[in-house]
Every structure is written in C-alpha cells, then in structure tokens.
C-alpha cells in the first residue's frame, strides 16, 4: 500500500528513453491522449511531463536538427469515444479465460523467471 514513489531516477533502464528528436511528438501525443482526463487536469499533465523531461528522454540520443521545420504530428491514439466504443470480450472468451487459470500462472512464471524483469 501507500503512494507510488520513484526509486531509481539515475538508471536508464527505468526511463522511457524517448529520442530527443521525438520529444515534440511525444508531447503532442500526450496532449491528444489526455482527452480521457478531466479538462482541468490536462494542462497539469503536460507540465509534469515537461518538468520530468530529463527522466524520460534518452540523453545519449542525437539532438534534433535546429533548422528542421518539420511538422510534429501526434501519434495515432483513440479518443475517449473510440476507446469507450471498443470491442468488448464475448462471454465465450471470458469463459475460456476462467477455464484455463493455469495459463495465468505459466505466464507469471515466464515473466518472473526472466532476468530482464525488474522487480
């Protein structure tokens, strides 16, 4: 229990490692995807992302070209209506998942046994 806290700010393995040249696209995508949040909090989300940039961006990536006049478009994301209208699982699919609980255990063993997994 308790609030989530950052435990490792200095290790690249814990960062998204967004290339510097893709930062504007990242922010534009976050802005589009923020339509799922209350309107009053959207600006705050973008401010938090900007203030956390050094924990998100890959410091070793190439700098964006200064004279580049590229149009930075957001990646394609579902808006809140499209997400809400998504395909629901059928009763048969849900029943199949409940009928095979061992599959979940096997999947967890694969993940927890993987040395690349951070615990």
């Amino acid at each position: 229990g308790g609030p989530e806290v950052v435990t490792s700010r200095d290790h690249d393995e814990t960062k998204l490692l967004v290339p510097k040249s893709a930062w504007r696209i990242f922010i534009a995508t976050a802005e589009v995807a923020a339509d799922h949040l209350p309107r009053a909090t959207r600006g705050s989300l973008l401010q938090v992302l900007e203030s956390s940039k050094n924990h998100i961006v890959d410091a070793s990536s190439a700098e964006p070209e200064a004279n580049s006049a590229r149009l930075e478009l957001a990646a394609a994301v579902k808006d809140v209506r499209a997400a809400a209208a998504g395909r629901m699982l059928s009763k048969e699919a849900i029943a199949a998942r409940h009928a095979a609980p061992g599959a979940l255990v096997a999947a967890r063993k694969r993940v927890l046994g993987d040395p690349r997994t951070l615990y």
Side-chain angles (χ1 to χ4, degrees):
E4 295 291 328
V5 295
V6 178
T7 56
S8 181
R9 294 184 189 269
D10 300 326
H11 297 286
D12 285 343
E13 292 84 8
T14 62
K15 298 178 183 178
L16 287 177
L17 299 178
V18 173
K20 292 176 187 174
S21 60
W23 178 250
R24 297 301 332 145
I25 296 169
F26 177 80
I27 292 296
T29 303
E31 191 171 0
V32 171
D35 76 334
H36 292 63
L37 302 173
R39 188 174 305 276
T41 61
R42 295 175 192 173
S44 298
L45 170 68
L46 298 176
Q47 288 176 351
V48 168
L49 289 173
E50 286 289 351
S51 67
S52 301
K53 182 177 179 179
N54 62 331
H55 301 298
I56 298 171
V57 172
D58 183 0
S60 65
S61 64
E63 292 286 340
E65 296 178 17
N67 59 357
S68 174
R70 294 184 348 201
L71 180 61
E72 303 295 351
L73 298 175
V77 294
K78 290 182 180 180
D79 65 11
V80 70
R81 287 191 180 134
R87 210 168 38 113
M88 301 300 288
L89 288 177
S90 68
K91 289 181 182 179
E92 294 80 16
I94 293 171
R97 288 184 179 185
H98 288 282
L104 177 64
V105 173
R108 282 191 167 187
K109 284 184 178 178
R110 284 193 302 272
V111 170
L112 295 176
D114 188 341
R116 297 173 295 175
T117 304
L118 297 176
Y119 298 93

